[in-house]
Amino acid sequence: MFPNILIVLPIFALILTGWIARKTGALGPNATREVNRLVVYLALPAVLFDIVANAKLADIWEPGFTLAFAGGCFIIFGATLWWRVSSGHALADAAIDGLNASYANTGFVGFPLVLSLVGDRGMAPNRADTDRMPKECEHGCIIR
């Protein structure tokens, strides 16, 4: 248990540092938006591209993992959607809440954890499902 805490500790320390920097005024009100844009549009795609470019099909092909991941996502999505709609929320809002509840933060937290725990051999399956699942959820769940 302690080694796992040591792995996630830097992630939460970085979150705490950002929170303190914003609360003390070291970062302005737009800093969060700009840092998120940097990560989402530049840093995370670069990491994902690197992982895919160096992955072998045998590393990515994990049907059991994909089925378990997809099943968990869809069960939580369905339960959250049902709960939010039955609570009187609009279907579109409930669908967004379902997506938020059902999909893990694989890109921002999952990659560092897998890399620390398993090493490079775990990055390709993690990357494959990180890319695949939001598209499947988006096509099957979002009401336009």
Side-chain angles (χ1 to χ4, degrees), residues 72-81 83-84 93-105:
C73 285
F74 286 121
I75 288 169
I76 297 299
F77 174 82
T80 304
L81 183 69
W83 172 56
R84 299 297 281 172
D93 292 337
I96 296 298
D97 291 340
L99 286 173
N100 288 336
S102 66
Y103 190 70
N105 193 347

Side-chain angles (χ1 to χ4, degrees), residues 11-98:
I11 296 167
F12 289 106
L14 186 60
I15 292 169
L16 178 64
T17 302
W19 181 81
I20 290 170
R22 178 64 188 107
K23 287 295 181 184
T24 60
L27 297 175
N30 294 325
T32 301
R33 181 179 312 143
E34 296 307 317
V35 170
N36 281 335
R37 287 179 55 183
L38 171 76
V39 170
V40 170
Y41 294 118
L42 184 64
L44 191 57
V47 168
L48 298 178
F49 180 80
D50 180 57
I51 293 167
V52 169
N54 295 313
K56 297 176 183 70
L57 183 58
D59 294 335
I60 295 174
W61 183 245
E62 295 284 343
F65 175 77
T66 301
L67 184 62
F69 192 90
C73 285
F74 286 121
I75 288 169
I76 297 299
F77 174 82
T80 304
L81 183 69
W82 174 82
W83 172 56
R84 299 297 281 172
V85 168
S86 67
S87 300
H89 291 84
L91 182 59
D93 292 337
I96 296 298
D97 291 340

Side-chain angles (χ1 to χ4, degrees), residues 74 99 132-144:
F74 286 121
L99 286 173
R132 182 173 27 243
M133 292 310 300
K135 290 176 180 60
E136 291 173 5
C137 287
E138 178 182 318
H139 295 302
C141 303
I142 294 184
I143 313 285
R144 296 180 194 245

